[in-house]
Amino acid sequence: MGQPVNVVQVSSLSQVFKRFLALDDVSLCLDPGVIALIGANGAGKTTLMRTLAGALKPTAGTVRVAGFDAYGKTERAQALATVAWMPQIAELPKGMRAIDLVAYLCWMRGEDRASALVRAEESLRAVGLTKSFKAKLGTLSGGMVRRVWLAQALAADAEVLLLDEPSTGLDPRQRETMVRLIRETSAGTVLLSSHLLEDVRELAQRIVVLDQGKIVFDGALSSSMNAEWFMQLTGDEAG
Amino acid sequence: MPLMIWWRKTWWLFPSALAIMFLVMRNVQPVEGINPGWSVNWGWMLGVWNGGTLLLSPFMAACAAMVMIRDWPHGLREQIAVLPRGRSSSRHIFAVLYLQGLAAMLTAIGVAAVLCAWRGAPIESATLPWQLFTGPAALFAAVALGMAVGTLFGNLIVIPLLGFGVFLAHQLFFWSGFPELFTTEIPTWFYEDARPKTTHLMATVALNLVVGTGLWIFLNWLTRLPRMRPALLLVGCALCLSAALAIYLPWVIAGNMDTYERIG
């Protein structure tokens, strides 16, 4: 058996916004499986997610996805073709139908019209929105909107799935549904961010803890990890 | 599919634009006691058709800004900018808006042409083909302006401000006799033995095309991800706006306010 290939390789990554250091020399390798990215609010989780998704050019360092440089001129398209991203907060075109948005995003990924529509239907069905295909996004509940975002990420059928706080703003029941959906539908390499340990406990095999832009822990998730452990690690509280 | 998605969201534009065109045509002043006054002369009639942009362009610019702010929000744009065909949404929105505005203009000119042909109106009063291009060129500039402004500012207040601003811009250009930007001329009096000057119409078309192109390039720059926006696009935008100034300045320097020439 050969050496396993890291699907995502992040080397010496830094992100600076004006004078604020959001990510500080982050190095990380992601292999297939569900990896939890945990950190308090403002720790840099969303910045790391956006950078991995190709939406935020690093101030320093490199991001390689499937061996391709995500910010290199010639390799960017190949790298991003293997990544799907569910953003934490994304405004929605409220007057657009759920099926239209997901199919449109599929088409933008390079699918032809017919297969984009089929994929959109399949992924909306997978997240339990069969009855809401033609519903306008403005009429859906917060939980359903998060599911539409999950559906568009799943529709990409990508090797790497970036889920940025998928349970943000959801009530306990909706949160439970979201955890179930992620467990049932996601495959390949999944990076799942949250500020709640409880959200990821059932899903992840590995945990990466981010604090003030730095990785302070990277290892297997165990039952001994709890809010107290997290607080000791970061000086903050989770879950 | 992409065009259909945007058409479904903006289908009301065409009937609204058509109503605007007919509103303008209905309200032109009577000529020599004949009301409506636009049914007797090709040059006059084409002027009225182009002059519909006086209301249509501000309306379309405001609608374009509204679509960019309300229907294609900023947060979503980052999400799509990483996709291979992500930036094509600007082209889809532009196409759907512009084509609906153009369709309304073509319907209006169709009515105008039928009436002129029916009345046997004199064709020598028309300055062809340039009179046919000024309206569509102004519409192009107005929609590009609306999309760029809507992308740059996320606040809904810019929608009425933009509409009002484009409407007022007419005063600057038309009443000064300069090549017109965003809105083109509507004749307010009937010149039986005169027609619009070719050079003035050509300059108007060119002015709108270079400004529209400059705004479109700026929009393209805006829709790219921060830190990945090519400076070359800004150079292209600046070149287009410089070209607009180069077209505009000779009229300012010459102080030539006469936009009509005698026939023959």
Side-chain angles (χ1 to χ4, degrees):
Chain A
M1 252 173 94
Q3 192 82 355
V5 179
N6 297 130
V7 182
V8 179
Q9 273 186 305
V10 178
S11 308
S12 308
L13 180 72
S14 293
Q15 284 287 11
V16 182
F17 299 111
K18 293 182 182 170
R19 287 180 188 172
F20 176 67
L21 186 60
L23 289 177
D24 184 8
D25 199 26
V26 170
S27 292
L28 186 67
C29 292
L30 304 180
D31 306 315
V34 180
I35 302 120
L37 180 66
I38 298 290
N41 289 331
K45 301 187 297 295
T46 295
T47 303
L48 181 57
M49 283 284 188
R50 288 170 68 203
T51 309
L52 297 184
L56 193 61
K57 193 177 182 179
T59 312
T62 56
V63 176
R64 297 188 80 82
V65 185
F68 300 109
D69 184 353
Y71 292 92
K73 274 186 181 173
T74 52
E75 298 178 0
R76 182 170 162 80
Q78 287 156 293
L80 297 187
T82 59
V83 181
W85 174 32
M86 175 187 179
Q88 183 191 357
I89 302 166
E91 298 162 274
L92 281 169
K94 291 189 174 111
M96 197 177 266
R97 303 185 312 175
I99 186 83
D100 286 343
L101 178 69
V102 178
Y104 197 20
L105 293 174
C106 278
W107 180 86
M108 283 181 181
R109 282 191 155 269
E111 298 278 343
D112 60 52
R113 283 183 290 180
S115 63
L117 204 59
V118 170
R119 269 183 190 272
E121 283 177 1
E122 283 171 359
S123 59
L124 283 170
R125 209 169 278 135
V127 298
L129 291 176
T130 311
K131 288 179 182 169
S132 305
F133 279 10
K134 293 185 178 177
K136 289 193 173 171
L137 293 164
T139 65
L140 300 181
S141 69
M144 290 165 105
V145 166
R146 297 303 291 157
R147 282 197 259 167
V148 172
W149 278 117
L150 178 62
Q152 66 79 33
L154 294 174
D157 198 19
E159 214 174 318
V160 180
L161 196 57
L162 305 171
L163 306 177
D164 194 0
E165 305 216 15
S167 51
T168 292
L170 303 185
D171 62 35
R173 197 173 151 208
Q174 289 172 328
R175 189 171 287 166
E176 208 173 285
T177 308
M178 183 58 77
V179 168
R180 180 179 54 79
L181 287 172
I182 294 169
R183 191 173 41 234
E184 286 173 3
T185 54
S186 55
T189 303
V190 181
L191 183 64
L192 169 70
S193 81
S194 179
H195 58 276
L196 297 170
L197 266 171
E198 293 314 311
D199 272 2
V200 299
R201 195 177 290 284
E202 291 178 49
L203 296 166
Q205 294 95 46
R206 178 179 154 201
I207 180 169
V208 176
V209 181
L210 208 57
D211 182 41
Q212 294 179 16
K214 283 184 181 237
I215 292 178
V216 291
F217 180 85
D218 184 353
L221 184 63
S222 72
S223 55
S224 63
M225 292 171 177
N226 54 23
E228 202 180 327
W229 168 82
F230 183 82
M231 202 167 68
Q232 281 175 352
L233 198 63
T234 64
D236 209 329
E237 192 169 353
Chain B
M1 177 183 70
L3 290 181
M4 277 303 290
I5 288 172
W6 288 110
W7 183 80
R8 257 201 296 273
K9 285 184 68 63
T10 60
W11 63 268
W12 47 270
L13 263 176
F14 173 67
S16 308
L18 197 59
I20 285 172
M21 291 305 295
F22 284 122
L23 190 72
V24 171
M25 292 175 83
R26 192 187 176 280
N27 278 287
V28 292
Q29 288 92 335
V31 175
E32 293 167 356
I34 306 166
N35 195 355
W38 41 260
S39 56
V40 288
N41 183 291
W42 276 99
W44 169 267
M45 193 69 109
L46 293 178
V48 171
W49 171 64
N50 284 322
T53 57
L54 178 62
L55 292 182
L56 188 64
S57 287
F59 174 74
M60 294 301 290
C63 288
M66 188 182 74
V67 170
M68 297 311 285
I69 293 169
R70 203 191 63 173
D71 297 329
W72 208 225
H74 186 265
L76 186 62
R77 278 180 236 145
E78 184 185 59
Q79 168 83 4
I80 61 160
V82 297
L83 302 178
R85 291 174 179 162
R87 282 201 312 277
S88 58
S89 60
S90 298
R91 287 197 294 275
H92 299 149
I93 295 169
F94 176 84
V96 165
L97 297 182
Y98 183 78
L99 289 177
Q100 290 192 73
L102 188 68
M105 293 177 102
L106 290 175
T107 308
I109 200 174
V111 172
V114 167
L115 280 168
C116 277
W118 177 44
R119 293 285 190 99
I123 191 76
E124 60 272 15
S125 59
T127 307
L128 294 172
W130 297 101
Q131 260 189 300
L132 293 173
F133 299 148
T134 53
L139 188 67
F140 165 59
V143 175
L145 176 73
M147 288 181 69
V149 169
T151 305
L152 190 60
F153 305 102
N155 198 315
L156 290 168
I157 191 69
V158 301
I159 298 167
L161 287 179
L162 181 66
F164 199 54
V166 172
F167 178 75
L168 285 184
H170 174 75
Q171 307 297 320
L172 262 172
F173 295 91
F174 173 64
W175 293 109
S176 309
F178 301 143
E180 292 150 70
L181 184 60
F182 303 125
T183 60
T184 56
E185 184 176 342
I186 178 165
T188 49
W189 192 248
F190 180 60
Y191 295 98
E192 198 172 43
D193 56 350
R195 66 182 169 203
K197 276 184 177 173
T198 307
T199 48
H200 185 268
L201 294 176
M202 285 170 72
T204 293
V205 171
L207 186 69
N208 280 290
L209 289 181
V210 292
V211 169
T213 305
L215 289 166
W216 181 256
I217 293 171
F218 181 59
L219 176 70
N220 196 303
W221 182 82
L222 277 177
T223 51
R224 286 166 190 259
L225 291 163
R227 300 183 185 177
M228 300 183 79
R229 292 168 170 155
L232 202 62
L233 288 178
L234 283 184
V235 173
C237 176
L239 282 175
C240 285
L241 297 182
S242 305
L245 207 62
I247 294 165
Y248 179 68
L249 272 180
W251 265 263
V252 179
I253 293 164
N256 185 4
M257 290 187 63
D258 193 5
T259 57
Y260 280 82
E261 62 189 2
R262 289 204 165 274
I263 298 170

